[in-house]
Amino acid sequence: MPSSASFQCVTLTLLILPAIVLALYFLTSFPHAPDALLVNPSLASLPKHIRSWHIYPEDVYSGGAYVSFPPGRTRYWLLGPEDGIKIVLIHGLSVPSLIWKEVAPHLAERGFHVLLYDLYGRGYSDAPQTTYDVSLYTTQLALLLQYIGWDSTNLCGVSMGGGIAAAFAVQFPHLVQGDVALIATTGVVDAADLSRTSRFLSSPVMQFITASAPFRMYLRHLASNASRIDNACDELVRIQSAHLPGYNPAIASSIRDGPIRALAPVFAQLGRQMRKRAKGAAGGGRVLLVWGTRDSVVPYQYAARVRSLIGDESASMVTLDDAGHDLTVTRGDDIVQELVAFFGNEGAKE
């Protein structure tokens, strides 16, 4: 009879061998083709009776068009004379390009050639089911500039758009003429300054719940029965949240993975880049920071930190007293005045 040790050895081999064979199979088998990217629709898919068409119509600005990129369609607008100083306006976390309504047309009237567009997951741009990190946003803008034929441009971003502008200038320096304006920019926000609601709703578990069909039906019920909101931007956020299945995941992923935090190295690199450009023959290489003292979303205390990272010699600071976070809406005239003074004189051409 076989010994006890031999029996145990055979038993162990029979148990382990299938696992080894299975592991080798998975390690050496030819990989399956990846699943196709799921792309959720934009505001353009909603019925015409939904109030978004009144608050934020497709033709809210002149010169609007769509372009299709691998992650989905992007809605953009071109305003102002083609020979004017080029400037890209980048909106923030939750409100699409409606946020520039008090700024963009006035810059165009002053002779600037203005590009606006909706970020993925907002407004009239599609919402791919993917990670909404810095690379997604900067690549979207790089592809858009290539499509419209802009070799280089100035940048202006508000809130999360400021973080995107800074990261874009660092990742694609050859596409930036030299000047960048950051309005109440994110990028170095501490987790403690994010509201508990934001942190809770952006968690993976809550995103699974909010992406479910019953929950979205509940949101649509609330939106259809709630009274209208005087603030158009707030109502547009509510409509997107209730009717667009890709909106809430895009917001949550942006908070977790996007240009809200961890951009301190980007701001430092931006400063070094700007100082190098300022020493060149072509000049340029300036950063403008604009902040409101009553900003409760990205508190005013971050202004000094961002300026320190960029460097005082490269970054100038404009403080708007008693102003909150939505500067482009509530202080549009001031923003236009500061941007005209920063990027060029009225009617200036390239």
Side-chain angles (χ1 to χ4, degrees), residues 259-290:
I260 304 295
R261 301 172 291 151
L263 291 189
V266 169
F267 289 125
Q269 177 61 27
L270 178 63
R272 290 191 291 270
Q273 220 167 263
M274 293 305 189
R275 287 189 288 276
K276 183 178 179 180
R277 287 183 180 175
K279 294 176 181 177
R286 303 172 300 154
V287 179
L288 173 67
L289 301 176
V290 184

Side-chain angles (χ1 to χ4, degrees), residues 105-317:
H106 300 291
L107 290 177
E109 291 171 0
R110 301 288 187 94
F112 288 88
H113 196 28
V114 182
L115 168 65
L116 307 95
Y117 67 104
D118 284 346
L119 298 172
Y120 287 130
R122 286 83 168 175
Y124 290 100
S125 289
D126 287 343
Q129 187 171 302
T130 187
T131 301
Y132 283 72
D133 56 12
V134 173
S135 294
L136 178 73
Y137 292 122
T138 56
T139 302
Q140 181 187 18
L141 179 53
L143 290 173
L144 182 55
L145 291 178
Q146 181 186 51
Y147 177 78
I148 65 174
W150 283 19
D151 296 327
S152 61
T153 184
N154 297 289
L155 298 174
C156 177
V158 60
S159 192
M160 190 183 78
I164 295 171
F168 183 87
V170 168
Q171 292 182 11
F172 300 97
H174 59 289
L175 296 179
V176 180
Q177 286 178 207
D179 294 336
V180 178
L182 308 176
I183 303 172
T185 182
T186 62
V188 292
V189 176
D190 292 328
D193 283 324
L194 295 173
S195 68
R196 291 182 179 178
T197 301
S198 296
R199 284 179 284 175
F200 176 67
L201 292 178
S202 63
S203 66
V205 172
M206 279 305 300
Q207 279 310 296
F208 176 79
I209 295 174
T210 57
S212 65
F215 191 86
R216 288 193 288 109
M217 288 180 60
Y218 173 68
L219 288 178
R220 288 195 293 271
H221 172 76
L222 291 180
S224 62
N225 288 279
S227 58
R228 292 182 179 180
I229 302 174
D230 292 335
N231 186 312
C233 291
D234 289 346
E235 185 162 5
L236 186 59
V237 168
R238 184 172 69 179
I239 291 171
Q240 292 177 106
S241 180
H243 292 277
L244 300 182
Y247 177 76
N248 290 328
I251 298 296
S253 181
S254 297
I255 294 173
R256 294 194 310 268
D257 313 303
I260 304 295
R261 301 172 291 151
L263 291 189
V266 169
F267 289 125
Q269 177 61 27
L270 178 63
R272 290 191 291 270
Q273 220 167 263
M274 293 305 189
R275 287 189 288 276
K276 183 178 179 180
R277 287 183 180 175
K279 294 176 181 177
R286 303 172 300 154
V287 179
L288 173 67
L289 301 176
V290 184
W291 233 287
T293 58
R294 293 186 179 274
D295 192 331
S296 60
V297 179
V298 186
Y300 182 65
Q301 69 194 47
Y302 288 116
R305 185 177 176 189
V306 172
R307 187 178 186 186
S308 175
L309 287 166
I310 297 173
D312 291 347
E313 61 271 40
S314 300
S316 56
M317 180 72 198

Side-chain angles (χ1 to χ4, degrees), residues 21 39 54-55 57 59 77 87 143 158 168 184 259 268 276 283 305 318 326 340:
V21 172
V39 178
H54 173 73
I55 299 171
D59 59 353
W77 299 265
I87 178 174
L143 290 173
V158 60
F168 183 87
K276 183 178 179 180
R305 185 177 176 189
V318 172
D326 53 348
V340 169

